[in-house]
Coordinates of all heavy atoms in Angstrom, one line a residue:
M104 N -62.0 38.3 -166.9 CA -62.0 39.1 -168.1 C -61.4 38.3 -169.2 O -60.5 37.5 -169.0 CB -61.2 40.4 -167.9 CG -61.9 41.4 -167.0 SD -63.5 42.0 -167.6 CE -63.0 43.4 -168.6
A105 N -61.9 38.6 -170.4 CA -61.3 38.0 -171.6 C -60.6 39.1 -172.5 O -60.7 40.3 -172.2 CB -62.4 37.3 -172.5
Y106 N -59.9 38.6 -173.5 CA -59.2 39.6 -174.3 C -59.6 39.4 -175.8 O -59.9 38.2 -176.2 CB -57.7 39.4 -174.2 CG -57.2 39.7 -172.8 CD1 -57.1 38.7 -171.8 CD2 -56.8 41.0 -172.5 CE1 -56.7 39.1 -170.5 CE2 -56.4 41.3 -171.1 CZ -56.4 40.3 -170.2 OH -56.0 40.7 -168.9
C107 N -59.7 40.4 -176.5 CA -60.1 40.4 -177.9 C -59.1 39.4 -178.7 O -57.9 39.5 -178.5 CB -60.0 41.7 -178.5 SG -60.3 41.7 -180.3
R108 N -59.7 38.6 -179.5 CA -58.9 37.6 -180.3 C -58.1 38.3 -181.4 O -57.1 37.8 -181.9 CB -59.8 36.6 -180.9 CG -60.5 35.7 -179.8 CD -61.6 34.9 -180.4 NE -61.0 33.9 -181.4 CZ -61.8 33.2 -182.2 NH1 -63.1 33.4 -182.3 NH2 -61.2 32.3 -183.0
N109 N -58.6 39.5 -181.7 CA -58.0 40.2 -182.8 C -56.9 41.2 -182.4 O -55.8 41.2 -182.8 CB -59.0 40.9 -183.6 CG -58.5 41.5 -184.9 OD1 -57.7 40.9 -185.7 ND2 -58.8 42.8 -185.2
C110 N -57.3 42.1 -181.4 CA -56.4 43.2 -181.0 C -55.9 43.1 -179.6 O -55.0 43.8 -179.2 CB -57.1 44.6 -181.2 SG -58.5 44.9 -180.1
G111 N -56.5 42.2 -178.8 CA -56.0 42.0 -177.5 C -56.5 42.9 -176.4 O -56.1 42.9 -175.3
T112 N -57.5 43.7 -176.8 CA -58.1 44.7 -175.8 C -58.9 43.8 -174.8 O -59.5 42.8 -175.2 CB -59.1 45.6 -176.6 OG1 -58.3 46.3 -177.5 CG2 -59.7 46.6 -175.6
Q113 N -58.9 44.3 -173.5 CA -59.6 43.6 -172.5 C -61.2 43.9 -172.8 O -61.6 45.0 -172.9 CB -59.2 44.1 -171.1 CG -59.6 43.1 -170.1 CD -59.0 43.5 -168.7 OE1 -59.3 44.6 -168.3 NE2 -58.2 42.7 -168.1
I114 N -61.9 42.8 -172.8 CA -63.3 42.8 -173.0 C -64.1 42.0 -172.1 O -63.5 41.2 -171.4 CB -63.7 42.4 -174.5 CG1 -63.2 41.1 -174.8 CG2 -63.2 43.5 -175.5 CD1 -63.7 40.5 -176.1
D115 N -65.4 42.2 -172.0 CA -66.3 41.3 -171.2 C -66.2 39.8 -171.7 O -66.0 39.6 -172.8 CB -67.7 41.7 -171.3 CG -68.0 43.0 -170.4 OD1 -67.1 43.3 -169.6 OD2 -69.0 43.6 -170.6
D116 N -66.3 38.9 -170.7 CA -66.2 37.5 -171.0 C -67.3 37.1 -172.0 O -67.0 36.3 -172.9 CB -66.4 36.7 -169.7 CG -65.1 36.6 -168.9 OD1 -64.1 36.7 -169.5 OD2 -65.3 36.5 -167.6
D117 N -68.4 37.7 -171.9 CA -69.5 37.2 -172.8 C -69.8 38.2 -173.9 O -70.8 38.1 -174.6 CB -70.8 37.1 -172.0 CG -71.2 38.3 -171.2 OD1 -70.3 39.2 -171.1 OD2 -72.3 38.4 -170.6
A118 N -68.8 39.1 -174.2 CA -69.0 40.1 -175.3 C -68.9 39.3 -176.6 O -68.0 38.5 -176.8 CB -67.9 41.1 -175.2
A119 N -69.8 39.6 -177.5 CA -69.9 38.9 -178.8 C -68.9 39.6 -179.8 O -68.3 38.9 -180.6 CB -71.2 38.9 -179.4
F120 N -68.7 40.9 -179.6 CA -67.8 41.6 -180.5 C -66.9 42.5 -179.6 O -67.3 43.0 -178.6 CB -68.6 42.5 -181.5 CG -69.4 41.7 -182.4 CD1 -70.8 41.5 -182.1 CD2 -68.9 41.2 -183.6 CE1 -71.6 40.7 -182.9 CE2 -69.7 40.4 -184.4 CZ -71.1 40.2 -184.1
C121 N -65.7 42.7 -180.1 CA -64.7 43.6 -179.5 C -65.2 45.0 -179.6 O -65.5 45.5 -180.7 CB -63.4 43.5 -180.1 SG -62.2 44.7 -179.5
P122 N -65.4 45.8 -178.5 CA -65.9 47.2 -178.6 C -64.8 48.1 -179.3 O -65.1 49.2 -179.7 CB -66.1 47.6 -177.2 CG -65.3 46.7 -176.3 CD -65.2 45.4 -177.1
D123 N -63.6 47.6 -179.3 CA -62.5 48.5 -179.8 C -62.4 48.3 -181.3 O -62.4 49.3 -182.1 CB -61.2 48.0 -179.1 CG -60.1 49.1 -179.3 OD1 -60.4 50.3 -179.1 OD2 -59.0 48.8 -179.6
C124 N -62.2 47.0 -181.8 CA -61.9 46.8 -183.2 C -63.1 46.2 -183.9 O -63.2 46.0 -185.1 CB -60.7 46.0 -183.4 SG -60.9 44.2 -182.9
G125 N -64.1 45.7 -183.1 CA -65.3 45.1 -183.7 C -65.2 43.7 -184.2 O -66.1 43.1 -184.8
A126 N -64.0 43.0 -183.9 CA -63.9 41.6 -184.3 C -64.8 40.7 -183.5 O -65.1 40.9 -182.4 CB -62.4 41.2 -184.0
S127 N -65.3 39.7 -184.2 CA -66.2 38.8 -183.6 C -65.5 37.9 -182.6 O -64.3 37.6 -182.8 CB -66.8 37.8 -184.7 OG -67.5 36.8 -184.1
Q128 N -66.1 37.7 -181.4 CA -65.4 36.9 -180.4 C -66.0 35.6 -180.2 O -66.3 35.1 -179.1 CB -65.5 37.7 -179.0 CG -64.9 39.1 -179.1 CD -63.5 39.1 -179.4 OE1 -62.7 38.4 -178.9 NE2 -63.1 39.9 -180.4
G129 N -66.4 35.0 -181.3 CA -67.0 33.6 -181.3 C -66.1 32.7 -180.5 O -64.9 32.8 -180.4
N130 N -66.8 31.7 -179.8 CA -66.0 30.8 -179.0 C -64.8 30.2 -179.8 O -64.9 29.8 -180.9 CB -67.0 29.6 -178.6 CG -66.5 28.9 -177.4 OD1 -65.3 28.6 -177.3 ND2 -67.4 28.6 -176.5
A131 N -63.7 30.1 -179.1 CA -62.5 29.6 -179.7 C -62.7 28.2 -180.2 O -62.1 27.7 -181.2 CB -61.3 29.7 -178.7
N132 N -63.4 27.4 -179.4 CA -63.7 26.0 -179.8 C -64.9 26.0 -180.7 O -65.9 26.7 -180.4 CB -64.0 25.1 -178.5 CG -62.7 25.1 -177.6 OD1 -61.6 25.0 -178.0 ND2 -63.0 25.4 -176.3
P133 N -64.9 25.1 -181.7 CA -66.1 25.0 -182.6 C -67.2 24.5 -181.7 O -67.0 23.6 -180.9 CB -65.6 24.0 -183.7 CG -64.4 23.3 -183.1 CD -63.8 24.3 -182.2
P134 N -68.4 25.0 -181.9 CA -69.5 24.6 -181.0 C -69.7 23.0 -181.2 O -69.8 22.5 -182.3 CB -70.7 25.4 -181.6 CG -70.3 25.8 -182.9 CD -68.8 26.0 -182.9
V135 N -69.9 22.3 -180.1 CA -70.1 20.9 -180.2 C -71.6 20.7 -180.1 O -72.4 21.5 -179.5 CB -69.5 20.1 -179.0 CG1 -68.0 20.1 -179.2 CG2 -69.8 20.8 -177.7
A136 N -72.1 19.6 -180.7 CA -73.5 19.3 -180.7 C -73.8 18.8 -179.3 O -73.5 17.7 -178.9 CB -73.8 18.2 -181.7
D137 N -74.5 19.7 -178.6 CA -74.8 19.4 -177.2 C -76.3 19.6 -177.0 O -76.8 20.6 -176.4 CB -74.0 20.3 -176.2 CG -74.4 19.9 -174.8 OD1 -74.8 18.8 -174.5 OD2 -74.1 20.8 -173.9
N138 N -77.1 18.8 -177.5 CA -78.6 18.9 -177.6 C -79.3 18.1 -176.6 O -80.5 17.9 -176.6 CB -79.1 18.7 -179.0 CG -78.6 17.4 -179.6 OD1 -78.1 16.5 -178.8 ND2 -78.7 17.2 -180.9
G139 N -78.6 17.5 -175.6 CA -79.2 16.7 -174.6 C -80.0 15.5 -175.3 O -81.1 15.3 -174.9
G140 N -79.4 14.9 -176.3 CA -80.1 13.9 -177.1 C -80.9 12.8 -176.3 O -80.4 12.2 -175.4
F141 N -82.2 12.7 -176.7 CA -83.0 11.7 -176.1 C -82.4 10.3 -176.3 O -82.5 9.4 -175.4 CB -84.4 11.8 -176.7 CG -85.3 10.6 -176.4 CD1 -85.9 10.5 -175.1 CD2 -85.5 9.7 -177.3 CE1 -86.7 9.5 -174.8 CE2 -86.4 8.6 -177.0 CZ -86.9 8.5 -175.7
L142 N -81.8 10.1 -177.5 CA -81.3 8.7 -177.8 C -80.2 8.3 -176.9 O -80.0 7.2 -176.5 CB -80.7 8.7 -179.3 CG -81.8 8.7 -180.3 CD1 -81.2 8.7 -181.7 CD2 -82.6 7.4 -180.2
W143 N -79.4 9.3 -176.4 CA -78.3 9.0 -175.5 C -78.9 8.6 -174.1 O -78.3 7.8 -173.4 CB -77.3 10.2 -175.3 CG -76.6 10.5 -176.6 CD1 -76.6 11.6 -177.4 CD2 -75.7 9.6 -177.2 NE1 -75.9 11.4 -178.5 CE2 -75.2 10.2 -178.4 CE3 -75.2 8.3 -177.0 CZ2 -74.4 9.6 -179.3 CZ3 -74.3 7.7 -177.8 CH2 -73.9 8.4 -179.0
G144 N -80.0 9.3 -173.8 CA -80.7 8.9 -172.5 C -81.2 7.4 -172.6 O -81.1 6.7 -171.7
L145 N -81.8 7.1 -173.8 CA -82.3 5.8 -174.1 C -81.1 4.8 -174.0 O -81.3 3.7 -173.4 CB -82.9 5.8 -175.5 CG -83.9 4.6 -175.7 CD1 -85.1 4.7 -174.8 CD2 -84.3 4.6 -177.2
L146 N -80.0 5.2 -174.6 CA -78.8 4.3 -174.5 C -78.4 4.0 -173.1 O -78.1 2.9 -172.7 CB -77.6 4.9 -175.3 CG -76.3 4.1 -175.2 CD1 -76.3 2.9 -176.1 CD2 -75.1 5.0 -175.6
G147 N -78.4 5.2 -172.3 CA -78.0 5.0 -170.9 C -79.0 4.2 -170.1 O -78.6 3.5 -169.2
C148 N -80.2 4.2 -170.6 CA -81.3 3.5 -169.9 C -81.1 1.9 -170.2 O -81.2 1.1 -169.4 CB -82.7 3.9 -170.4 SG -84.0 3.1 -169.7
C149 N -80.8 1.7 -171.5 CA -80.6 0.3 -171.9 C -79.3 -0.3 -171.5 O -79.2 -1.5 -171.1 CB -80.7 0.2 -173.5 SG -82.3 0.6 -174.1
I150 N -78.3 0.5 -171.6 CA -76.9 0.0 -171.2 C -76.3 1.0 -170.2 O -75.6 1.9 -170.6 CB -76.0 -0.1 -172.4 CG1 -76.7 -0.7 -173.6 CG2 -74.7 -0.9 -172.1 CD1 -76.0 -0.7 -174.9
P151 N -76.7 0.9 -168.9 CA -76.3 1.9 -167.9 C -74.8 2.1 -167.9 O -74.3 3.2 -167.7 CB -76.8 1.3 -166.6 CG -78.0 0.5 -167.0 CD -77.6 -0.1 -168.4
I152 N -74.0 1.0 -168.0 CA -72.5 1.2 -168.0 C -72.1 2.1 -169.1 O -71.2 3.1 -168.9 CB -71.8 -0.2 -168.2 CG1 -72.2 -1.1 -167.0 CG2 -70.3 -0.1 -168.3 CD1 -71.5 -0.7 -165.7
A153 N -72.6 1.9 -170.3 CA -72.2 2.8 -171.5 C -72.6 4.2 -171.2 O -71.9 5.2 -171.4 CB -72.8 2.3 -172.7
G154 N -73.8 4.4 -170.7 CA -74.3 5.7 -170.4 C -73.5 6.4 -169.3 O -73.2 7.6 -169.4
F155 N -73.1 5.6 -168.3 CA -72.3 6.2 -167.2 C -70.9 6.6 -167.8 O -70.4 7.7 -167.4 CB -72.1 5.1 -166.1 CG -71.3 5.7 -164.9 CD1 -71.9 6.7 -164.1 CD2 -70.1 5.2 -164.6 CE1 -71.2 7.2 -163.1 CE2 -69.4 5.7 -163.5 CZ -70.0 6.7 -162.7
I156 N -70.3 5.8 -168.6 CA -69.0 6.2 -169.2 C -69.2 7.5 -170.1 O -68.4 8.4 -170.0 CB -68.5 5.1 -170.1 CG1 -68.1 3.9 -169.2 CG2 -67.3 5.5 -170.9 CD1 -67.8 2.6 -169.9
L157 N -70.3 7.6 -170.9 CA -70.5 8.7 -171.7 C -70.7 10.0 -170.8 O -70.2 11.0 -171.1 CB -71.7 8.5 -172.6 CG -71.6 7.5 -173.7 CD1 -72.9 7.3 -174.4 CD2 -70.5 8.0 -174.7
F158 N -71.4 9.8 -169.7 CA -71.6 10.8 -168.8 C -70.3 11.4 -168.3 O -70.1 12.6 -168.2 CB -72.5 10.4 -167.6 CG -72.6 11.4 -166.5 CD1 -73.5 12.5 -166.7 CD2 -71.9 11.3 -165.3 CE1 -73.6 13.4 -165.7 CE2 -72.0 12.2 -164.3 CZ -72.9 13.3 -164.5
L159 N -69.4 10.5 -167.9 CA -68.1 11.0 -167.4 C -67.3 11.6 -168.5 O -66.6 12.6 -168.2 CB -67.3 9.7 -166.9 CG -67.8 9.1 -165.6 CD1 -67.0 7.9 -165.2 CD2 -67.9 10.1 -164.5
V160 N -67.4 11.1 -169.7 CA -66.6 11.7 -170.8 C -67.1 13.1 -171.2 O -66.4 13.9 -171.5 CB -66.6 10.7 -172.0 CG1 -66.1 11.4 -173.3 CG2 -65.9 9.4 -171.7
W161 N -68.4 13.2 -171.2 CA -69.1 14.4 -171.7 C -69.4 15.5 -170.7 O -69.8 16.5 -171.1 CB -70.3 14.0 -172.4 CG -70.1 13.4 -173.8 CD1 -69.0 13.6 -174.5 CD2 -71.0 12.7 -174.5 NE1 -69.1 12.9 -175.7 CE2 -70.4 12.3 -175.7 CE3 -72.3 12.2 -174.3 CZ2 -71.0 11.5 -176.7 CZ3 -72.9 11.4 -175.3 CH2 -72.2 11.1 -176.5
K162 N -69.3 15.2 -169.4 CA -69.8 16.1 -168.4 C -69.2 17.5 -168.4 O -69.8 18.4 -168.0 CB -69.7 15.5 -167.0 CG -68.3 15.3 -166.4 CD -68.5 14.8 -165.0 CE -67.2 14.2 -164.5 NZ -66.0 15.0 -164.4
D163 N -68.0 17.6 -169.0 CA -67.4 18.9 -169.1 C -67.6 19.6 -170.5 O -67.9 20.7 -170.6 CB -65.8 18.8 -168.9 CG -65.5 18.5 -167.5 OD1 -66.3 18.9 -166.6 OD2 -64.6 17.7 -167.2
T164 N -67.6 18.7 -171.6 CA -67.7 19.3 -172.9 C -69.1 19.4 -173.4 O -69.5 20.2 -174.2 CB -66.9 18.5 -173.9 OG1 -67.3 17.1 -173.8 CG2 -65.4 18.6 -173.6
K165 N -70.0 18.4 -173.0 CA -71.4 18.4 -173.5 C -72.3 18.2 -172.2 O -72.8 17.1 -172.1 CB -71.6 17.3 -174.4 CG -70.8 17.3 -175.7 CD -71.2 16.2 -176.6 CE -70.4 16.1 -177.9 NZ -70.9 15.0 -178.8
P166 N -72.4 19.2 -171.4 CA -73.2 19.0 -170.1 C -74.6 18.5 -170.4 O -75.1 17.7 -169.6 CB -73.1 20.4 -169.5 CG -72.5 21.3 -170.4 CD -71.8 20.5 -171.5
K167 N -75.3 19.0 -171.4 CA -76.7 18.6 -171.6 C -76.8 17.2 -172.0 O -77.6 16.4 -171.5 CB -77.3 19.5 -172.6 CG -77.6 20.9 -172.1 CD -78.4 21.8 -173.2 CE -78.4 23.2 -172.9 NZ -78.6 24.0 -174.0
T168 N -75.9 16.8 -173.0 CA -76.0 15.4 -173.4 C -75.6 14.5 -172.3 O -76.1 13.4 -172.1 CB -75.0 15.2 -174.7 OG1 -75.3 16.3 -175.6 CG2 -75.3 13.9 -175.3
A169 N -74.5 14.9 -171.6 CA -74.1 14.1 -170.4 C -75.2 13.9 -169.4 O -75.4 12.8 -168.9 CB -72.9 14.7 -169.7
K170 N -76.0 15.0 -169.2 CA -77.1 14.9 -168.3 C -78.2 13.9 -168.8 O -78.7 13.2 -168.0 CB -77.7 16.3 -168.1 CG -78.6 16.5 -166.9 CD -79.1 17.9 -166.7 CE -80.3 17.9 -165.8 NZ -81.0 19.2 -165.9
A171 N -78.4 14.0 -170.1 CA -79.4 13.1 -170.7 C -79.0 11.7 -170.5 O -79.8 10.8 -170.1 CB -79.6 13.4 -172.2
A172 N -77.7 11.4 -170.8 CA -77.2 10.1 -170.6 C -77.3 9.6 -169.1 O -77.6 8.5 -168.8 CB -75.8 10.0 -171.1
G173 N -76.9 10.6 -168.2 CA -76.9 10.3 -166.8 C -78.3 10.0 -166.3 O -78.5 9.0 -165.5
I174 N -79.3 10.8 -166.7 CA -80.7 10.5 -166.4 C -81.1 9.1 -166.9 O -81.8 8.4 -166.2 CB -81.6 11.6 -166.9 CG1 -81.3 12.9 -166.1 CG2 -83.1 11.2 -166.8 CD1 -82.0 14.1 -166.7
G175 N -80.7 8.8 -168.1 CA -81.0 7.5 -168.7 C -80.4 6.4 -167.9 O -81.1 5.4 -167.6
V176 N -79.2 6.6 -167.3 CA -78.6 5.6 -166.5 C -79.4 5.4 -165.2 O -79.7 4.3 -164.8 CB -77.2 6.0 -166.1 CG1 -76.6 5.1 -165.0 CG2 -76.2 6.0 -167.3
I177 N -79.9 6.5 -164.6 CA -80.6 6.4 -163.4 C -82.0 5.7 -163.6 O -82.4 4.8 -162.9 CB -80.9 7.8 -162.8 CG1 -79.5 8.4 -162.3 CG2 -81.9 7.8 -161.6 CD1 -79.6 9.9 -162.0
V178 N -82.6 6.1 -164.8 CA -83.9 5.5 -165.1 C -83.7 4.0 -165.4 O -84.5 3.2 -164.9 CB -84.5 6.2 -166.4 CG1 -85.7 5.4 -166.9 CG2 -84.9 7.6 -166.0
G179 N -82.6 3.7 -166.1 CA -82.3 2.3 -166.4 C -82.1 1.5 -165.2 O -82.6 0.3 -165.0
I180 N -81.4 2.0 -164.2 CA -81.1 1.3 -162.9 C -82.4 1.2 -162.1 O -82.7 0.1 -161.6 CB -80.0 2.1 -162.1 CG1 -78.7 1.9 -162.8 CG2 -80.0 1.5 -160.7 CD1 -77.6 2.8 -162.2
V181 N -83.2 2.2 -162.0 CA -84.5 2.2 -161.3 C -85.4 1.1 -162.0 O -86.0 0.3 -161.2 CB -85.2 3.6 -161.3 CG1 -86.6 3.5 -160.8 CG2 -84.3 4.5 -160.4
L182 N -85.5 1.1 -163.3 CA -86.3 0.2 -164.0 C -85.8 -1.3 -163.7 O -86.6 -2.2 -163.6 CB -86.3 0.4 -165.5 CG -87.2 1.7 -165.9 CD1 -87.1 1.9 -167.4 CD2 -88.6 1.4 -165.5
A183 N -84.5 -1.4 -163.7 CA -83.9 -2.8 -163.5 C -84.3 -3.2 -162.1 O -84.7 -4.4 -161.9 CB -82.4 -2.7 -163.7
I184 N -84.2 -2.3 -161.1 CA -84.5 -2.7 -159.7 C -86.0 -3.0 -159.6 O -86.4 -4.0 -159.0 CB -84.1 -1.6 -158.7 CG1 -82.6 -1.5 -158.7 CG2 -84.7 -1.8 -157.3 CD1 -82.1 -0.2 -158.0
L185 N -86.8 -2.1 -160.2 CA -88.3 -2.4 -160.2 C -88.6 -3.7 -160.9 O -89.4 -4.5 -160.4 CB -89.0 -1.2 -160.9 CG -89.2 0.0 -160.2 CD1 -89.8 1.1 -161.0 CD2 -90.0 -0.2 -158.9
G186 N -88.0 -4.0 -162.0 CA -88.2 -5.2 -162.7 C -87.8 -6.4 -161.9 O -88.5 -7.4 -161.9
Y187 N -86.7 -6.3 -161.2 CA -86.3 -7.3 -160.3 C -87.3 -7.6 -159.2 O -87.7 -8.7 -158.9 CB -84.9 -7.0 -159.7 CG -84.4 -8.0 -158.7 CD1 -83.8 -9.1 -159.2 CD2 -84.4 -7.7 -157.4 CE1 -83.3 -10.1 -158.3 CE2 -83.9 -8.6 -156.4 CZ -83.3 -9.8 -156.9 OH -82.9 -10.7 -156.0
I188 N -87.8 -6.5 -158.6 CA -88.7 -6.6 -157.4 C -90.0 -7.2 -157.9 O -90.6 -8.1 -157.4 CB -88.9 -5.2 -156.8 CG1 -87.7 -4.8 -156.1 CG2 -90.1 -5.3 -155.8 CD1 -87.7 -3.3 -155.6
V189 N -90.5 -6.7 -159.1 CA -91.8 -7.2 -159.7 C -91.6 -8.7 -160.0 O -92.5 -9.5 -159.7 CB -92.2 -6.4 -160.9 CG1 -93.3 -7.1 -161.7 CG2 -92.6 -5.0 -160.5
G190 N -90.5 -9.0 -160.6 CA -90.2 -10.4 -161.0 C -90.2 -11.3 -159.7 O -90.7 -12.4 -159.7
L191 N -89.6 -10.8 -158.7 CA -89.5 -11.5 -157.4 C -90.9 -11.7 -156.8 O -91.2 -12.8 -156.4 CB -88.6 -10.7 -156.4 CG -87.9 -11.5 -155.4 CD1 -86.8 -12.4 -156.0 CD2 -87.2 -10.6 -154.4
V192 N -91.7 -10.6 -156.8 CA -93.0 -10.8 -156.2 C -93.9 -11.7 -157.1 O -94.6 -12.6 -156.5 CB -93.7 -9.3 -156.2 CG1 -95.2 -9.5 -156.0 CG2 -93.0 -8.4 -155.2
I193 N -93.8 -11.7 -158.4 CA -94.5 -12.6 -159.2 C -94.1 -14.1 -158.9 O -94.9 -15.0 -158.8 CB -94.3 -12.3 -160.7 CG1 -95.1 -11.0 -161.0 CG2 -94.8 -13.4 -161.6 CD1 -94.8 -10.4 -162.4
M194 N -92.8 -14.2 -158.8 CA -92.3 -15.6 -158.5 C -92.8 -16.1 -157.2 O -93.2 -17.3 -157.1 CB -90.7 -15.6 -158.5 CG -90.2 -15.6 -159.9 SD -88.7 -16.5 -160.2 CE -88.1 -17.3 -158.8
V195 N -92.8 -15.2 -156.2 CA -93.2 -15.6 -154.9 C -94.7 -15.9 -154.9 O -95.2 -16.9 -154.4 CB -93.0 -14.5 -153.8 CG1 -93.7 -14.7 -152.5 CG2 -91.5 -14.3 -153.6
M196 N -95.5 -15.1 -155.7 CA -96.9 -15.4 -155.8 C -97.2 -16.7 -156.5 O -98.0 -17.5 -156.1 CB -97.6 -14.2 -156.6 CG -97.8 -13.0 -155.8 SD -98.3 -11.6 -156.8 CE -100.0 -12.2 -157.2
I197 N -96.4 -17.0 -157.6 CA -96.6 -18.3 -158.3 C -96.3 -19.4 -157.4 O -97.0 -20.4 -157.3 CB -95.7 -18.2 -159.6 CG1 -96.3 -17.3 -160.6 CG2 -95.6 -19.7 -160.2 CD1 -95.3 -17.0 -161.8
C198 N -95.2 -19.3 -156.6 CA -94.8 -20.4 -155.7 C -95.9 -20.6 -154.6 O -96.2 -21.7 -154.3 CB -93.5 -20.0 -155.0 SG -92.1 -20.1 -156.1
W199 N -96.4 -19.4 -154.2 CA -97.5 -19.4 -153.1 C -98.7 -20.2 -153.7 O -99.3 -21.1 -153.1 CB -97.9 -18.0 -152.7 CG -99.0 -18.0 -151.7 CD1 -100.3 -17.8 -152.0 CD2 -98.8 -18.0 -150.3 NE1 -101.0 -17.8 -150.8 CE2 -100.1 -17.9 -149.8 CE3 -97.7 -18.2 -149.5 CZ2 -100.3 -18.0 -148.4 CZ3 -97.9 -18.2 -148.1 CH2 -99.2 -18.1 -147.6
V200 N -99.1 -19.9 -154.9 CA -100.2 -20.5 -155.6 C -100.0 -22.0 -155.8 O -100.8 -22.8 -155.5 CB -100.6 -19.8 -156.9 CG1 -101.6 -20.6 -157.7 CG2 -101.1 -18.4 -156.6
I201 N -98.8 -22.3 -156.2 CA -98.4 -23.8 -156.5 C -98.5 -24.5 -155.1 O -99.0 -25.6 -155.1 CB -97.0 -23.9 -157.1 CG1 -97.1 -23.4 -158.6 CG2 -96.5 -25.3 -157.1 CD1 -95.7 -23.2 -159.2
C202 N -98.0 -24.0 -154.1 CA -97.9 -24.7 -152.8 C -99.2 -24.6 -152.1 O -99.5 -25.6 -151.4 CB -96.8 -24.0 -151.9 SG -95.2 -24.1 -152.6
N203 N -100.0 -23.6 -152.2 CA -101.2 -23.5 -151.3 C -102.5 -23.4 -152.1 O -103.5 -23.5 -151.5 CB -101.1 -22.1 -150.5 CG -99.8 -22.2 -149.6 OD1 -99.8 -22.9 -148.6 ND2 -98.9 -21.3 -149.9
G204 N -102.4 -23.3 -153.4 CA -103.6 -23.3 -154.2 C -104.2 -21.9 -154.0 O -103.6 -21.0 -153.4
W205 N -105.4 -21.7 -154.7 CA -106.0 -20.3 -154.8 C -106.7 -19.9 -153.4 O -106.8 -18.8 -153.1 CB -106.9 -20.2 -155.9 CG -106.2 -20.0 -157.2 CD1 -106.1 -21.0 -158.2 CD2 -105.5 -18.9 -157.7 NE1 -105.3 -20.6 -159.2 CE2 -105.0 -19.3 -159.0 CE3 -105.2 -17.6 -157.2 CZ2 -104.2 -18.4 -159.7 CZ3 -104.4 -16.8 -157.9 CH2 -103.9 -17.2 -159.2
S206 N -107.1 -20.9 -152.7 CA -107.9 -20.6 -151.5 C -107.0 -20.4 -150.3 O -105.9 -21.0 -150.2 CB -108.9 -21.7 -151.3 OG -108.2 -23.0 -151.1
Ligands
ZN302 ZN1 -60.4 44.0 -180.8

């Protein structure tokens, strides 16, 4: 249960207004911009370490943005691994062609 910010009457946690005095029960903290920004995901993708740190910093205060950064980190790591594997395969193929020719 929560208490009215104006008169202290016990009210529902999610009540927007106090049923007793009618005072607005807006969140005590000013609303933070938590829009799950695509750019933060992109940052996490490009710089997984930075994205991971942002994820840890924001996971409580900005869950959506933290999630976007976290997904970016995962995508970035997966892309890095895929890039590494593809690069390795291409290198092996090039070496194979150099050593054995096309036939
Ligand atoms: Zn009240």
Side-chain angles (χ1 to χ4, degrees):
M104 290 298 271
Y106 296 90
C107 173
R108 294 168 68 193
N109 187 48
C110 67
T112 303
Q113 202 173 56
I114 55 171
D115 282 345
D116 282 331
D117 54 350
F120 296 94
C121 172
D123 197 46
C124 70
S127 171
Q128 304 299 313
N130 198 320
N132 299 315
V135 288
D137 182 21
N138 49 19
F141 169 76
L142 284 175
W143 293 115
L145 200 65
L146 175 78
C148 182
C149 296
I150 315 170
I152 294 291
F155 184 65
I156 291 169
L157 289 175
F158 173 76
L159 291 179
V160 170
W161 283 340
K162 66 179 164 54
D163 292 325
T164 54
K165 299 185 186 183
K167 284 181 193 163
T168 310
K170 194 178 166 194
I174 290 171
V176 170
I177 293 166
V178 170
I180 290 171
V181 168
L182 285 178
I184 292 170
L185 282 177
Y187 177 76
I188 292 170
V189 168
L191 206 66
V192 167
I193 290 172
M194 283 217 358
V195 167
M196 283 172 69
I197 290 171
C198 288
W199 179 266
V200 169
I201 288 171
C202 295
N203 298 293
W205 286 106
S206 56

